[in-house]
Amino acid sequence: MGFQKAKASFLIKKEAASFLAGNRYDLLEWAGAFGDLGTLIPFVLAYITILKMDPAGLLFAFGLAKIITGFFYKTPIPIQPMKAIGIGSVAQPGGFTPAAVWGAGFFTGLVWLFLGLTGIIDRVAALAKKPVVHGIVLGLGLTFMVEGIRSMATNYFLAAVALIVAFTLLGNRKFPVMFLLLALGIGTSLAANPVLIVDLKKSIGLSLPQFTLARFTWPELVRGSLLLALPQVPLTLGNAVIAIVAENNELFPARRITEGKIAISTGLMNLLAPFFGGVPMCHGAGGMAGHVRFGARTGGALVILGSLVIVVALFFNHGVNILFQLFPPAILGVILFFAGAELALTAKPDSASRQEFYVTLVTAGFAMWNMGVAFVVGLLLNEALARGWVRF
C-alpha cells in the first residue's frame, strides 16, 4: 500500500514538473509578452466602453487562459479576442448586451469542443493543401500590416520615430526593442496628459470577478449564437486553427501541435470564460507572430502576460481605461505592423511552382476580406489547377 502511494506521489510530481518545465522567463520572454497588445487592447477597450462589460471578469478570463495555454503548449501560442464577434457586438451600440456576448462564447465553446473531440476538424484541415495554408497565413499577415498602418496614421510623427527605432534595433537580442517602444508610448502619453498617473493611482483597489450564470437568458444565448458566433466560425477555422498550427509547426518543429488539440483548447476556454464574465477567445496566428517577433520563444511569454493581465483585473478594475491610455494607438500600430510582417514571412514558400504560388496569392487576397471564403476559394482553385480545369 505504501509503495502504491509513493508511486502515485512520484507520478504526480513528475507530471507537475513536466507541466512547469520548458518555459523561459528571461528578458526576451518579457519583451515578447507584449507583442500581442496591438489586438488585445483595442478590443478590450471596446467591450468595456461600448458594452459596459466588467473589466475584472473580462481580463481575469483572458489572464487565466493565457497562463494555462503557456504552461500547456510551451510555445508562444496566443490568446486573442474573436474578432468577428467583437466587431459585430460593438458595431451596433445598444444592439447587443454582455449576455449575448457570453452566449456567443458558450456556443462557440460547444462547437469547437465537438469538432475537436470528434476528429471532424482534422479531416477538414487535411483538405487544405500547402498553397492554401500559405495563402491564409499571408493574407492574415498583410491584414495585420494594413491595420497597423491605419493605427499609425493617428500620430504620424510618433509612428515614424517608433518605426525608425524598431527597424534599427529589432534584431538586438541584448536589449529588446519592445521596451523602448513601450517607454516611448508611455512617455508621450504622460507628456500630453500628466494627470493620467495620478488618476491611475486613485483607481487602485481589489475587485473580484462576478459569477455571471444568473445573468444568462435563453433569448440572449440564441441571439448571440446565431448573430455573433456563427459568422465567427470560418474566421476561427482559418486564423485560429489552420494558420496557428501551420505557424507553430514551422517555427517550433520540436513542439508540434494538431488542429484537434487547438480546437479542444479553444472549446474549453470558451465554455468556461462566460461564467467569469469573459468574452469569446481564440488562438489567433497574428498574436504568435507578435510574440515571436519581439523575442518570445516559449510559453513563458504567455504566463508573464497572463499574470500581468490578472493583476490588472484584480487591482486596476476601475482604472483600465486610464491604464490603456498609456499605450497610444500609433505605438500599438507599429507593434501590429511588425507582427503582421513576421506572420507573412512564415508563409514564404520554399520551392513553390508558379501554379502553387498563384493559389497562395489568390487565397491571400480573399483572406484579407473573408477567411471562410478564402479557404473555399483556395481549395477549389488548387483542385481545378491540379486537374487541368483551369489554366493561366
Side-chain angles (χ1 to χ4, degrees):
M1 190 70 175
F3 173 75
Q4 292 297 331
K5 287 184 178 180
K7 183 178 180 182
S9 176
F10 171 76
L11 291 175
I12 291 173
K13 290 179 180 179
K14 184 178 179 182
E15 287 296 320
S18 175
F19 184 74
L20 295 172
N23 286 334
R24 298 200 313 261
Y25 303 94
D26 55 23
L27 200 62
L28 287 171
E29 293 296 319
W30 273 86
F34 298 100
D36 197 21
L37 292 186
T39 53
L40 179 66
I41 289 179
F43 277 92
V44 169
L45 276 177
Y47 276 122
I48 293 171
T49 58
I50 298 176
L51 293 189
K52 309 301 180 185
M53 300 187 77
D54 179 24
L58 191 158
L59 291 173
F60 182 82
F62 264 114
L64 187 62
K66 288 176 183 292
I67 291 172
I68 294 173
T69 298
F71 278 132
F72 182 76
Y73 287 109
K74 296 181 175 59
T75 60
I77 292 180
I79 302 294
Q80 295 185 314
M82 287 191 169
K83 295 175 181 60
I85 292 177
I87 293 172
S89 61
V90 303
Q92 307 174 45
F96 289 97
T97 64
V101 176
W102 299 330
F106 189 76
F107 178 79
T108 296
L110 290 175
V111 168
W112 288 105
L113 189 61
F114 171 77
L115 293 175
L117 291 176
T118 59
I120 293 176
I121 189 63
D122 294 306
R123 291 193 287 273
V124 172
L127 297 173
K129 305 301 181 184
K130 187 172 288 188
V132 179
V133 175
H134 284 165
I136 290 174
V137 173
L138 177 60
L140 280 169
L142 294 175
T143 300
F144 269 62
M145 294 178 75
V146 171
E147 290 179 3
I149 292 172
R150 287 173 181 164
S151 295
M152 284 188 269
T154 59
N155 189 329
Y156 289 112
F157 178 75
L158 179 59
V161 173
L163 279 172
I164 292 172
V165 169
F167 276 121
T168 304
L169 299 174
L170 198 59
N172 192 317
R173 305 288 292 178
K174 294 182 179 179
F175 188 81
V177 71
M178 174 59 77
F179 297 129
L180 286 178
L181 292 177
L182 295 178
L184 180 61
I186 293 171
T188 302
S189 297
L190 291 179
N193 191 1
V195 299
L196 280 176
I197 196 70
V198 178
D199 293 339
L200 186 61
K201 288 180 180 179
K202 291 179 180 178
S203 69
I204 298 176
L206 179 63
S207 298
L208 298 176
Q210 298 179 358
F211 196 58
T212 59
L213 182 60
R215 298 172 62 183
F216 273 67
T217 63
W218 278 109
E220 294 290 0
L221 176 62
V222 172
R223 192 161 182 261
S225 300
L226 296 179
L227 300 181
L228 294 176
L230 284 180
Q232 174 71 51
V233 172
L235 177 60
T236 302
L237 172 65
N239 174 26
V241 178
I242 292 175
I244 191 67
V245 170
E247 183 183 14
N248 181 89
N249 294 348
E250 171 76 18
L251 295 173
F252 306 102
R255 292 195 179 277
R256 299 181 67 84
I257 59 176
T258 64
E259 288 82 5
K261 184 177 288 187
I262 285 291
I264 291 172
S265 65
T266 301
L268 289 175
M269 67 184 178
N270 281 296
L271 282 177
L272 295 175
F275 296 105
F276 293 103
V279 299
M281 299 175 285
C282 64
H283 300 294
M288 171 174 267
H291 290 309
V292 170
R293 175 67 279 180
F294 290 99
R297 295 296 182 270
T298 75
L302 271 296
V303 177
I304 292 167
L305 182 60
S307 301
L308 293 176
V309 169
I310 286 182
V311 169
V312 173
L314 296 180
F315 297 102
F316 294 89
N317 181 38
H318 303 295
V320 170
N321 290 349
I322 302 170
L323 180 64
F324 284 174
Q325 286 180 49
L326 295 175
F327 306 100
I331 295 295
L332 297 178
V334 171
I335 295 172
L336 198 59
F337 178 85
F338 281 102
E342 180 70 20
L343 182 59
L345 279 173
T346 64
K348 179 181 177 294
D350 295 326
S351 57
S353 65
R354 185 171 184 271
Q355 181 171 293
E356 289 173 331
F357 192 55
Y358 187 79
V359 173
T360 295
L361 289 178
V362 171
T363 305
F366 277 97
M368 295 182 70
W369 168 58
N370 184 289
M371 201 64 56
V373 173
F375 182 68
V376 173
V377 169
L379 292 182
L380 293 177
L381 180 60
N382 188 70
E383 187 67 17
L385 287 170
R387 294 176 178 272
W389 298 341
V390 175
R391 300 182 184 277
F392 64 93

